Amino acid sequence: MAADDASLVPTWLEPMLAKADGGRLRTGPEWAYEYKLDGYRAAMRIAPDGTTVLTSRNNIDFTAEFTDLEGVLAPALDGRAAYLDGEVVVYGEDGRIDFERMQERRGRYVRHQSGPKGREFTDVPVRFLAFDLLRLGDESLLATPYDERRRLLAELPMPDPYRVSVVRAVTFDELAADRRTPADFLAHAASAGYEGVVAKLRSSAYHPGQRPDSWLKHPLVRTQEVIVCGWRPGQNSFTGTLGGLLLGAHDPATGDLVYIGDVGTGFSQATRADLRAQLETMERRTHPFVTTPPREDTARARWVEPRLVGEIVYRQFTRGGRVRHTAWRGLRHDKDPAEVLAPRAVPHEPAGAAPPSPSPSPSASASVSPEPAGQRITVQAGHRRLTLSNLDKVLYPAAGFTKGEVINYYSRVAAVLLPHLAGRPVTFIRYPNGVDGQKWFEKNAPKGAPDWLRTVRLAGTGGTIDYPLLDDLPGLVWAANMAALELHVPQWTVEQGTRRPPDRLVFDLDPGPGTTIVDCCRVAERLHDVLVADGLTPYAKTSGSKGMQLYCGIRTDDPAAPSAYAKRLAQRLAKETPESVTAVMAKAQRTGRVFIDWSQNNPAKTTVAPYSLRGRDHPTASTPVTWDEVRACRHVNRLTFTADDVLDRLEDHGDLLAGLAEERAPLG
């Protein structure tokens, strides 16, 4: 900010994000704890003259939408600039943060944008809850420890706490002084209906645009039996199949069948087809609920008789009676619809207040207790019941990421991952003792594999191999339970036991010593332009390790054509810029250069599948990225994504590789 220009607000910064804690809430005097809020992440940037700008986490200007927050803090700053990081929330009548009301308010604002500018919604007031201070006056606080930033934030006068206030942070020591623990704090968050808890390292700096280990979020995930009461046809890449389910349950007080929300993720392609076929035989003209669900929730709905019971995972049950952040787990044929009761929403105190001192009830503690070591559980995955074991076993020690978290991740990405595995023989890399232990490649379906697992027998260099085929959710969950963290597939598929010609062209960009994925991005940009000029449509993804891959959908009858084409192109770029690119695998040629590995197109080779986890220190995943992200990448962290990041991205982007199967161009 220019110190001599009082009208300039501090420059926007990409917000620091919290990383998933892998199911292990951190404890110790070095940590502080905050509730995970349920609103819109926002920056409040204030100029010395009081000009206030509210900006979303994606740099969208929120100021006109939340005009009642403008200028609230200006009188207390005495002509100083300030930059506050926080969340814009709406409260319900019971004093609980209510995301549904925020969404309703947002919808009204969007519908009326063409009306008078600065339209206010005084019947739905908003509040800015600040949890960090990044600038005060001319001083940047980014390098200042969290504790000191919080102290300065707490010292700021709050002229109107109904509109702007500070989220209270509770330290480990403060909890201990009250004879309480972080587990008690977490249990209170669970019973009060919060999304979870964020643990923050008290000595840590603020890292814009990064998701470091110093902010760790512990989301609370619950399971719930539901009654399938309707469905929506799919759109875009799911056109022609099931898009999502409309869910019901019985009110525990009255026994009435009530609408509790929907679910649109966690389905494999086969599950979507199976469910649609079943539901089409059960259709009815009207909804089965005691009261009509909101119109905006039931657009394109097709209602069915409430006979099928399923199970979902969810993170929150709202005051309005809706499950949020849902994923499908499968049908429960062992349950009767009459047994399915809706969860209860528990009122909780304002986010700025401390939790009560008394210890939580046993039921509240049980809801967040970890699974006993070695316990085996039976779950419904699609149309199969599977026995899972050792879910609390840590497979990524540096991140505390457990096998249960691995299974949860693969279950939730199944809808976008399975299309990229369908019909492709899978090679596993298994880590039964975690990423720090021994690993091994496994091509043959292992002994003890379930008899329902599809396999294909193909000739290999040492004889025949019975490759597993993962084309549904049960197969994916089974593989994850074996700690098959990495999934690798060829660029061709099989049909009726016969290998088909390649349908994908791949360029594997591997950074040599002294280079990173940033250098790979520069090479990827050049490859993009050449491929487009040749009539191909390139897609990019990270490898989840150090490099990245580019893919193009192709049509060819010659299995050797992709390798020949990729080799010519790699050699061309290496000849044009020998100082930064090599097409030779020899290690001596790779220092300071990006190796374009064209040989991944050899029918005998495989490449890590999109969305596959990797056996690194942290649970990073091979992640599809946009070309805008590739062009903008100037730091390794910008294209490093963990399992948690991928799940967040899917909500925003869907499958960025969905067009690969459709946009196929002739090659050779």
Side-chain angles (χ1 to χ4, degrees):
M1 183 189 71
D4 59 348
D5 192 339
S7 67
L8 288 183
V9 298
T11 303
W12 178 79
L13 299 169
E14 191 172 351
M16 179 170 166
L17 302 174
K19 178 183 290 187
D21 66 0
R24 181 170 64 89
L25 182 63
R26 303 304 194 265
T27 64
E30 68 272 26
W31 294 97
Y33 307 91
E34 300 172 8
Y35 291 121
K36 190 173 184 296
L37 303 177
D38 197 12
Y40 289 155
R41 181 77 176 272
M44 178 176 282
R45 300 181 286 142
I46 307 167
D49 69 354
T51 300
T52 302
V53 175
L54 283 158
T55 317
S56 78
R57 61 179 285 178
N58 298 315
N59 201 19
I60 297 170
D61 194 329
F62 273 161
T63 312
E65 184 171 349
F66 303 123
T67 55
D68 45 346
L69 298 178
E70 285 188 80
V72 176
L73 283 186
L77 292 173
D78 297 325
R80 293 176 296 175
Y83 192 129
L84 286 73
D85 190 3
E87 200 110 357
V88 179
V89 302
V90 165
Y91 286 88
E93 293 179 0
D94 57 359
R96 175 179 179 172
I97 293 174
D98 191 335
F99 190 75
E100 285 181 287
R101 293 193 72 200
M102 172 66 89
Q103 287 183 308
E104 292 168 6
R105 187 188 193 280
R106 185 93 213 278
R108 288 168 55 193
Y109 173 79
V110 171
R111 288 193 297 272
H112 291 88
Q113 271 186 308
S114 59
K117 296 300 180 183
R119 175 185 173 89
E120 295 184 4
F121 299 95
T122 54
D123 60 321
V124 187
V126 294
R127 189 184 190 193
F128 181 80
L129 297 175
F131 51 69
D132 218 322
L133 182 64
L134 311 188
R135 174 176 287 276
L136 187 59
D138 293 329
E139 182 182 0
S140 170
L141 302 177
L142 297 179
T144 304
Y146 167 86
D147 264 359
E148 178 66 9
R149 300 197 310 274
R150 288 289 313 204
R151 183 187 68 79
L152 293 170
L153 177 61
E155 290 177 353
L156 286 180
M158 293 289 138
D160 187 349
Y162 289 94
R163 289 192 287 167
V164 179
S165 64
V166 177
V167 177
R168 179 164 181 216
V170 181
T171 67
F172 179 89
D173 291 337
E174 288 171 330
L175 288 169
D178 288 339
R179 305 299 190 267
R180 295 160 60 232
T181 68
D184 296 331
F185 185 80
L186 178 62
H188 180 267
S191 63
Y194 283 102
E195 282 195 333
V197 166
V198 182
K200 297 185 177 181
L201 198 62
R202 298 171 62 186
S203 60
S204 61
Y206 189 101
H207 302 284
Q210 297 185 36
R211 200 188 289 266
D213 292 331
S214 49
W215 285 14
L216 296 171
K217 59 184 177 182
H218 188 99
L220 292 162
V221 179
R222 305 163 176 86
T223 62
Q224 170 67 29
E225 291 162 6
V226 293
I227 303 171
V228 179
C229 296
W231 63 285
R232 293 191 194 92
Q235 294 180 303
N236 301 323
S237 60
F238 295 123
T239 298
T241 185
L242 177 141
L245 299 175
L246 299 160
L247 310 174
H250 294 286
D251 186 310
T254 66
D256 293 332
L257 182 62
V258 294
Y259 173 70
I260 63 169
D262 60 7
V263 59
T265 63
F267 305 98
S268 68
Q269 285 183 312
T271 299
R272 290 181 189 273
D274 289 346
L275 280 170
R276 176 170 178 165
Q278 290 185 67
L279 296 174
E280 284 180 334
T281 68
M282 301 164 55
E283 290 198 352
R284 52 183 284 165
R285 296 184 61 186
T286 59
H287 70 77
F289 306 112
V290 66
T291 58
T292 301
R295 181 179 299 177
E296 58 269 23
D297 284 15
T298 59
R300 302 183 298 107
R302 298 176 64 172
W303 302 111
V304 299
E305 296 295 336
R307 300 174 190 160
L308 290 181
V309 175
E311 186 171 281
I312 61 169
V313 294
Y314 72 102
R315 289 192 181 180
Q316 186 183 34
F317 188 67
T318 70
R319 176 192 58 81
R322 304 288 184 269
V323 284
R324 293 192 61 232
H325 305 296
T326 56
W328 181 252
R329 296 189 73 181
L331 289 173
R332 292 294 303 268
H333 297 292
D334 57 326
K335 297 290 183 179
D336 188 284
E339 303 173 18
V340 179
L341 300 180
R344 291 183 181 272
V346 182
H348 69 334
E349 63 199 41
S357 293
S359 298
S361 67
S363 60
S365 297
S367 67
V368 295
S369 296
E371 177 192 0
Q375 183 175 338
R376 298 169 69 87
I377 65 171
T378 300
V379 300
Q380 187 78 26
H383 55 291
R384 304 285 183 186
R385 292 185 67 79
L386 303 178
T387 299
L388 309 179
S389 61
N390 298 316
L391 298 188
D392 62 334
K393 186 172 186 176
V394 176
L395 298 184
Y396 292 86
F401 203 76
T402 65
K403 188 165 81 167
E405 291 290 310
V406 169
I407 294 171
N408 178 62
Y409 167 76
Y410 273 123
S411 298
R412 294 179 65 186
V413 300
V416 292
L417 168 58
L418 288 170
H420 299 293
L421 301 179
R424 299 181 195 273
V426 180
T427 297
F428 300 140
I429 304 184
R430 294 177 59 186
Y431 295 80
N433 293 310
V435 296
D436 292 341
Q438 185 180 7
K439 68 177 181 181
W440 67 80
F441 285 78
E442 191 161 57
K443 295 185 177 183
N444 270 300
K447 293 181 179 179
D451 55 11
W452 48 259
L453 181 73
R454 287 187 62 218
T455 61
V456 61
R457 179 165 294 180
L458 298 172
T461 54
T464 59
I465 298 173
D466 291 322
Y467 286 96
L469 296 171
L470 301 184
D471 53 12
D472 58 13
L473 180 62
L476 196 57
V477 171
W478 165 78
N481 189 54
M482 293 198 309
L485 301 184
E486 297 194 15
L487 310 174
H488 294 246
V489 291
Q491 312 314 316
W492 43 268
T493 61
V494 293
E495 186 173 14
Q496 296 180 344
T498 302
R499 181 185 299 176
R500 304 186 69 230
D503 62 349
R504 291 184 176 180
L505 170 74
V506 64
F507 292 87
D508 186 14
L509 307 184
D510 188 2
T515 63
T516 68
I517 196 171
V518 177
D519 302 282
C520 293
C521 286
R522 305 292 78 79
V523 176
E525 290 181 74
R526 296 172 60 198
L527 281 169
H528 170 276
D529 293 344
V530 176
L531 292 167
V532 169
D534 284 352
L536 299 169
T537 304
Y539 293 82
K541 73 176 179 68
T542 71
S543 69
S545 181
K546 295 182 294 183
M548 64 188 304
Q549 287 97 30
L550 305 189
Y551 286 91
C552 299
I554 59 171
R555 295 193 303 272
T556 182
D557 293 325
D558 181 3
S563 283
Y565 174 83
K567 182 177 182 180
R568 288 196 304 271
L569 192 47
Q571 290 175 336
R572 170 182 161 184
L573 266 64
K575 184 177 181 180
E576 292 173 355
T577 53
E579 72 285 353
S580 59
V581 176
T582 180
V584 179
M585 188 176 294
K587 290 184 178 181
Q589 300 293 321
R590 295 170 64 177
T591 299
R593 299 181 178 90
V594 172
F595 170 44
I596 303 178
D597 188 356
W598 50 268
S599 71
Q600 293 291 312
N601 295 283
N602 185 314
K605 290 197 173 185
T606 61
T607 309
V608 65
Y611 305 106
S612 171
L613 293 172
R614 301 306 303 268
R616 310 287 292 175
D617 289 342
H618 290 80
T620 53
S622 180
T623 309
V625 293
T626 68
W627 280 105
D628 284 344
E629 289 177 304
V630 173
R631 296 183 184 100
C633 181
R634 294 295 184 273
H635 193 281
V636 171
N637 287 347
R638 296 299 296 270
L639 290 187
T640 300
F641 304 105
T642 63
D644 198 57
D645 297 328
V646 172
L647 295 174
D648 287 343
R649 288 171 63 84
L650 285 176
E651 294 184 9
D652 296 333
H653 299 296
D655 181 16
L656 290 172
L657 299 184
L660 259 179
E662 303 161 5
E663 299 177 3
R664 296 170 58 193
L667 184 74

